[in-house]
Amino acid sequence: MRQHVKIGKSIEEAIACLNASDVVGIPTETVYGLAGNALDEKAVSRIFSVKNRPTFDPLIVHISSLEKAAPLVQYIPEAAIKLANAFWPGPLTLLLPRTLLIPDLVTSGSDRVALRVPNHPLTLELLQQLPYPLAAPSANPFGYISPTMATHVAQQLGNEVCYILDGGPCQIGIESTIVGFENNKTVVYRLGGIALEELETVAGPLTVLPHSTSNPQAPGMLQSHYAPRKPMLVGDLDKMMEQYNTNDIAILAFKTPHPSVPASQQRLLSAQGHMEEAARNLFAAMRQLDEMDVKYILAEWAPDHGLGRAINDRLRRASVQP
Ligand code: TXA
Ligand code: MG
């Protein structure tokens, strides 16, 4: 345990921590990451222990540009180059055949490594200055809601990290879309910050497998993820409310507040119904509702298109069955 968590914008302080095999909270456009030297097993083990994350759940490796992938991967399929050129830096993670430079612990023994170039000026600057890539899962305790502000990281992991690089609130707000290539097919393993419609304009037809539990290598597929401590139920608000006392519930509405619940017990994702704004607000809103003095969180689905699909995926995983 450390006495004072250090939050700031100093790339030098972040580098000093990373060079000492320690972990640092870093901003990205999706969510904050808990970063360590991806080539240093000591740093990577520290990431797993700080997050209390099982070692069978592999980590994403962050680099500053596609060129930096060369020593980490055996080859890059044409389809991956096209996607990287279109979406990097950005909320896209590519699963590629790895070299042995990457420790087994990072990929949980898989022969593929997850690579991403995050789109945040501070973190890109940090990655450019480092001679190694950064392994970084989201900077939340395993299973809890992902952090979209530096204070979220400080509240939960503040005592465990060497430094938090404060890059302001995350602009996308949900994790990257994870894509891999199998038998000449482009496969989406996790819905995320790039909408399927957008991905398809570059990749062509997609195979979407985000709910596969049969494949032990399937990323982000663990149930009960992104979850508040309070039970959260998702569905038709009117119907769900018949079963609960108004005092016991907080509401996560998409754009319209529920008329029979006080405003103080509600959060709206986007009053204008903008999907990007809704995604940006999702995790912070869930945290606020989780801190309210109520017993349950009731949420409604977002429209199921664009980023709404990724929002609904997170709501599904965060919720309990009614
Ligand atoms: O937007 C994001 O992707 C954020 C920021 C920090 O970059 N990171 C993130 O990491 O969401 P994490 O660890 O919370 O989720 C990464 C997912 C995991 O569920 C893991 O299963 C999958 O990516 N993954 C990582 N490496 C993999 C690999 N080699 N093969 C299959 N899945 C992998
Ligand atoms: Mg995560």
Side-chain angles (χ1 to χ4, degrees):
M1 292 274 272
R2 284 173 244 250
Q3 291 305 307
H4 301 287
V5 55
K6 283 179 115 187
I7 306 190
K9 296 183 186 299
S10 165
I11 288 177
E12 291 66 37
E13 291 208 40
I15 290 177
C17 291
L18 293 164
N19 283 344
S21 304
D22 213 333
V23 292
V24 170
I26 57 162
T28 84
E29 79 283 32
T30 58
V31 300
Y32 272 75
L34 178 69
N37 178 351
L39 307 183
D40 172 353
E41 271 194 57
K42 190 173 159 210
V44 176
S45 324
R46 175 114 189 97
I47 294 173
F48 280 99
S49 72
V50 165
K51 243 193 101 103
N52 199 15
R53 179 182 177 114
T55 51
F56 59 74
D57 193 9
L59 307 178
I60 295 175
V61 173
H62 298 71
I63 51 180
S64 60
S65 68
L66 177 59
E67 290 67 48
K68 294 281 173 69
L72 310 175
V73 300
Q74 293 179 16
Y75 61 91
I76 309 181
E78 203 54 46
I81 295 178
K82 248 171 99 173
L83 286 175
N85 286 333
F87 296 112
W88 279 357
L92 173 72
T93 293
L94 294 173
L95 292 181
L96 298 170
R98 67 160 174 143
T99 61
L100 295 179
L101 194 60
I102 302 277
D104 276 353
L105 192 56
V106 171
T107 66
S108 305
S110 161
D111 52 10
R112 289 195 291 184
V113 60
L115 290 184
R116 171 164 123 78
V117 179
N119 191 14
H120 192 288
L122 266 183
T123 293
L124 279 175
E125 178 64 34
L126 171 66
L127 286 167
Q128 270 151 21
Q129 292 192 26
L130 290 170
Y132 46 80
L134 290 177
S138 50
N140 49 291
F142 185 69
Y144 195 67
I145 305 163
S146 301
T148 52
M149 301 201 275
T151 49
H152 295 162
V153 184
Q155 280 157 16
Q156 290 187 301
L157 302 179
N159 291 328
E160 306 287 340
V161 299
C162 182
Y163 188 69
I164 300 170
L165 198 52
D166 186 354
C170 299
Q171 290 304 301
I172 303 272
I174 42 178
E175 297 85 349
S176 59
T177 303
I178 301 182
V179 172
F181 309 91
E182 292 179 34
N183 308 319
N184 292 321
K185 290 205 173 101
T186 303
V187 184
V188 176
Y189 298 94
R190 180 175 72 182
L191 300 171
I194 296 181
L196 294 181
E197 293 89 337
E198 211 187 330
L199 203 58
E200 231 162 7
T201 61
V202 177
L206 302 167
T207 306
V208 184
L209 290 178
H211 303 294
S212 156
T213 44
S214 55
N215 177 0
Q217 290 185 8
M221 289 310 97
L222 298 161
Q223 295 300 322
S224 180
H225 231 72
Y226 315 104
R229 282 174 295 260
K230 294 195 172 107
M232 182 166 107
L233 296 98
V234 193
D236 181 83
L237 290 178
D238 285 322
K239 269 203 204 131
M240 290 191 296
M241 280 180 54
E242 289 167 9
Q243 300 169 47
Y244 298 95
N245 184 322
T246 307
N247 294 327
D248 289 341
I249 58 168
I251 296 230
L252 183 61
F254 182 68
K255 68 182 272 200
T256 316
H258 197 280
S260 49
V261 176
S264 60
Q265 278 163 248
Q266 303 197 54
R267 288 293 175 275
L268 299 187
L269 291 183
S270 170
Q272 318 287 329
H274 287 162
M275 217 62 100
E276 283 70 25
E277 183 183 31
R280 191 154 54 237
N281 289 333
L282 177 68
F283 288 144
M286 278 166 60
R287 275 175 190 262
Q288 287 171 9
L289 297 172
D290 204 19
E291 276 151 27
M292 285 179 190
D293 186 19
V294 294
K295 292 191 183 134
Y296 305 95
I297 300 170
L298 305 186
E300 66 181 346
W301 300 112
D304 211 33
H305 57 81
L307 291 187
R309 274 191 259 228
I311 294 173
N312 289 341
D313 171 81
R314 302 305 187 265
L315 290 175
R316 196 173 293 117
R317 284 170 210 275
S319 63
V320 294
Q321 298 306 314

